[in-house]
Amino acid sequence: DAGITQSPRHKVTETGTPVTLRCHQTENHRYMYWYRQDPGHGLRLIHYSYGVKDTDKGEVSDGYSVSRSKTEDFLLTLESATSSQTSVYFCAISESIRGTPLHFGNGTRLTVT
Amino acid sequence: ILNVEQSPQSLHVQEGDSTNFTCSFPSSNFYALHWYRWETAKSPEALFVMTLNGDEKKKGRISATLNTKEGYSYLYIKGSQPEDSATYLCALISGGYNKLIFGAGTRLAVHP
């Protein structure tokens, strides 16, 4: 398996609190992605990074921010969690997505009460 | 935002049947198409990355074809087995971006 770790694996939080999810890789891959799993939508892209300090928005970026200060870490922050952000969040990495596939982490299950 | 459509939404087949699903996408500015297999409670796993019109890829009983001019890809499973039960996702990269946008998936159930 590609060296990719998500933490925490499970998180329950209250509406209005900030939450940060971490994705850590040991593969030195350039590209990192955050997706959320939604019934009927498959995986939806939140944000992605194409290098240190280089990030861009995905399909559902409202309410989320990201940071990548080191190659190995990509953080996803929910500034003020809402119930609609209850989901399973997947991080993925790739050396070069135009020719190589994504490798996914094990996911973080987030529940906002 | 790219529109990647997969059909059918779900499929139930008997063990031994062969089956196929479709991924449709805008044909302009095509860059690459990915297929993934996603079992319940697990993470998606890559099947194929396809970049050229006319590409055909094969992995065991699973194969895929790509037509970038008309904007579709087919995934075929020959002689389905219960362990093939999963959601099959396609994802597209278009234009000069590195965004990989997924379709909603086709959920396959193979019954013994």
Side-chain angles (χ1 to χ4, degrees):
Chain A
D1 286 350
I4 176 169
T5 306
Q6 291 185 233
S7 59
R9 291 297 312 278
H10 302 272
K11 174 89 177 169
V12 180
T13 192
E14 292 184 350
T15 298
T17 59
V19 178
T20 295
L21 309 183
R22 181 184 185 228
C23 179
H24 178 78
Q25 60 144 329
T26 58
E27 304 295 320
N28 200 37
H29 284 347
R30 178 181 176 187
Y31 299 95
M32 299 185 76
Y33 299 80
W34 278 107
Y35 289 92
R36 56 178 284 172
Q37 174 185 354
D38 292 317
H41 289 94
L43 293 170
R44 292 199 288 178
L45 180 64
I46 306 171
H47 283 279
Y48 71 101
S49 170
Y50 48 96
V52 173
K53 297 192 191 309
D54 292 322
T55 64
D56 199 0
K57 295 179 180 179
E59 304 168 273
V60 289
S61 57
D62 287 349
Y64 301 94
S65 63
V66 290
S67 67
R68 190 167 178 203
S69 58
K70 299 184 289 185
T71 298
E72 56 266 35
D73 288 326
F74 192 31
L75 303 180
L76 176 71
T77 297
L78 290 66
E79 301 291 346
S80 177
T82 66
S83 58
S84 64
Q85 293 176 312
T86 293
S87 188
V88 179
Y89 291 83
F90 285 97
C91 176
I93 63 174
S94 178
E95 197 170 11
S96 170
I97 61 168
R98 294 169 185 180
T100 58
L102 295 182
H103 296 284
F104 285 83
N106 289 327
T108 293
R109 182 173 295 277
L110 176 68
T111 302
V112 184
T113 60
Chain B
I1 298 294
L2 296 174
N3 191 21
V4 181
E5 295 186 354
Q6 292 190 245
S7 61
Q9 249 185 346
S10 65
L11 198 54
H12 293 258
V13 300
Q14 293 298 125
E15 182 175 355
D17 288 350
S18 293
T19 187
N20 65 85
F21 349 115
T22 304
C23 176
S24 301
F25 51 86
S27 57
S28 59
N29 296 319
F30 173 87
Y31 219 100
L33 186 99
H34 295 210
W35 280 102
Y36 292 83
R37 181 173 178 274
W38 192 9
E39 289 183 72
T40 302
K42 294 188 177 180
S43 303
E45 293 182 343
L47 290 171
F48 307 114
V49 176
M50 309 178 80
T51 56
L52 298 175
N53 184 44
D55 253 355
E56 292 187 20
K57 302 268 186 174
K58 188 174 181 182
K59 191 175 188 176
R61 295 179 291 98
I62 304 177
S63 60
T65 61
L66 177 65
N67 184 323
T68 61
K69 295 188 187 308
E70 296 183 37
Y72 64 85
S73 176
Y74 294 141
L75 188 78
Y76 301 92
I77 302 179
K78 184 177 178 182
S80 302
Q81 300 297 309
E83 56 265 32
D84 294 329
S85 297
T87 297
Y88 291 83
L89 298 168
C90 70
L92 180 74
I93 307 166
S94 178
Y97 302 101
N98 294 300
K99 300 181 185 184
L100 191 60
I101 303 299
F102 283 83
T106 292
R107 183 175 296 178
L108 174 68
V110 182
H111 302 282

